[in-house]
């Protein structure tokens, strides 16, 4: 059975701190690893990684994938209160040819205090 | 360009009842997936529809069924509701085919079963 494990499950920091969120996985027919931010209801897309060792960056957020060790990290530098959210890691995999689905971890609840 | 829309936003039902949730995919998308997110958990894959057929299914009982219409919109039906069905139900849309692996999510339907 496909498995995605995120750590820590929750984290409280002060504005300006740097945080690192972890995601490890065991998935058959791995295709991609995605990070989503969930503030209220709808998860919103942050990054998709398919190749090992290539860092993706968007402003203060960055992510990297290690396909050999089966994990990814999401870094947020100079955190702001608006970064408070649940961060979801999901692994995309194919089955039966072209059937693609995401398997999610439980998420990391990040709280940034002013 | 409308994103993924879901209705209703909230729903309260009693045990044993039946419920229908609706989803309209993002413009240009032809594949709809449904996820269940219980409190404190990551989204869990229910099933996926493409070309009006169920293409793959997660570990959910037959009480969960769905449908996709020719305009790509979709419904999720749950029969004989249990207390444990209380959750946020998320619809995600995508475009079928390799390299189209980013799912876009709606804001969900919050279902409470009393």
């Amino acid at each position: 059975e496909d498995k995605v494990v995120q750590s820590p499950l929750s984290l409280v920091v002060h504005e300006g701190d740097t945080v690192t969120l972890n995601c490890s996985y065991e998935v058959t027919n791995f295709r991609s690893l995605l990070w989503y931010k969930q503030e209220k209801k709808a998860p919103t897309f942050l990054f998709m990684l398919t190749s090992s060792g290539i860092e993706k960056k968007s402003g203060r957020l960055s992510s990297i994938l290690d396909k050999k060790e089966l994990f990814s990290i999401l870094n947020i530098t100079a955190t702001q209160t608006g970064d408070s959210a649940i961060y979801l890691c999901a692994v995309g995999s194919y089955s039966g040819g072209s059937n693609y689905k995401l398997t999610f971890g439980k998420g990391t609840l990040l709280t940034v205090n002013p | 360009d409308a994103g993924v829309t879901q209705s209703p936003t909230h729903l309260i039902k009693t045990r044993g009842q039946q419920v229908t949730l609706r989803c309209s995919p993002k413009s240009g998308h032809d594949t709809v997936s449904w996820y269940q997110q219980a409190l404190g958990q990551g989204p869990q894959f229910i099933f996926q529809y493409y070309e009006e057929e169920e293409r793959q299914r997660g570990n959910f009982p037959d009480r969960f069924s769905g449908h996709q219409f020719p305009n790509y919109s979709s419904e999720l039906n749950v029969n004989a509701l249990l207390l444990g069905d209380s959750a946020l139900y998320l619809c995600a849309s995508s475009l079928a085919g390799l390299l189209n692996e980013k799912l876009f999510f709606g804001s969900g339907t919050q279902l409470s079963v009393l």
Side-chain angles (χ1 to χ4, degrees):
Chain A
E1 186 177 329
D2 295 344
K3 193 163 69 169
V4 178
V5 178
Q6 291 186 244
S7 64
L9 293 181
S10 66
L11 191 56
V12 180
V13 300
H14 291 290
E15 264 192 320
D17 288 351
T18 293
V19 299
T20 298
L21 309 183
N22 304 293
C23 176
S24 63
Y25 62 91
E26 293 176 28
V27 171
T28 306
N29 297 323
F30 172 91
R31 171 62 188 166
S32 52
L33 188 141
L34 296 88
W35 286 95
Y36 284 86
K37 179 182 182 182
Q38 188 175 30
E39 290 179 86
K40 290 181 182 175
K41 297 287 179 66
T44 54
F45 173 81
L46 294 174
F47 297 111
M48 184 169 75
L49 305 108
T50 56
S51 301
S52 241
I54 297 176
E55 185 181 32
K56 290 225 172 176
K57 292 194 74 169
S58 176
R60 296 177 295 103
L61 278 68
S62 64
S63 183
I64 196 161
L65 171 67
D66 186 327
K67 286 172 74 172
K68 182 179 176 186
E69 299 298 329
L70 307 183
F71 79 88
S72 173
I73 60 172
L74 175 68
N75 279 319
I76 308 175
T77 60
T79 52
Q80 302 171 357
T81 55
D83 295 327
S84 296
I86 296 171
Y87 290 84
L88 294 166
C89 173
V91 174
S93 59
Y94 280 97
S95 65
S98 59
N99 294 330
Y100 177 82
K101 70 171 187 182
L102 295 181
T103 301
F104 283 85
K106 288 187 177 182
T108 294
L109 173 60
L110 174 64
T111 303
V112 181
N113 290 324
Chain B
D1 175 23
V4 180
T5 58
Q6 292 187 242
S7 63
T9 54
H10 295 85
L11 206 49
I12 299 174
K13 292 286 188 178
T14 56
R15 278 179 299 174
Q17 285 189 312
Q18 177 263 342
V19 68
T20 298
L21 311 181
R22 295 176 176 82
C23 172
S24 291
K26 181 178 167 64
S27 178
H29 285 183
D30 56 10
T31 302
V32 173
S33 303
W34 287 92
Y35 289 80
Q36 180 196 65
Q37 187 175 21
L39 193 63
Q41 303 294 316
Q44 282 203 300
F45 176 71
I46 304 175
F47 43 53
Q48 180 186 77
Y49 277 84
Y50 170 66
E51 291 187 333
E52 302 179 50
E53 287 186 6
E54 183 183 293
R55 293 292 173 154
Q56 56 177 331
R57 188 180 183 93
N59 190 24
F60 278 80
D62 292 346
R63 298 187 298 108
F64 289 77
S65 63
H67 189 78
Q68 186 180 35
F69 299 94
N71 66 352
Y72 308 120
S73 67
S74 176
E75 287 182 351
L76 164 65
N77 299 295
V78 187
N79 294 324
L81 284 167
L82 304 174
L83 296 179
D85 295 332
S86 295
L88 178 67
Y89 288 84
L90 293 165
C91 171
S93 75
S94 57
L95 188 59
L98 293 177
L99 305 181
N100 293 314
E101 293 147 357
K102 189 166 72 176
L103 271 61
F104 292 80
F105 285 85
S107 294
T109 295
Q110 186 67 54
L111 173 64
S112 299
V113 181
L114 305 178

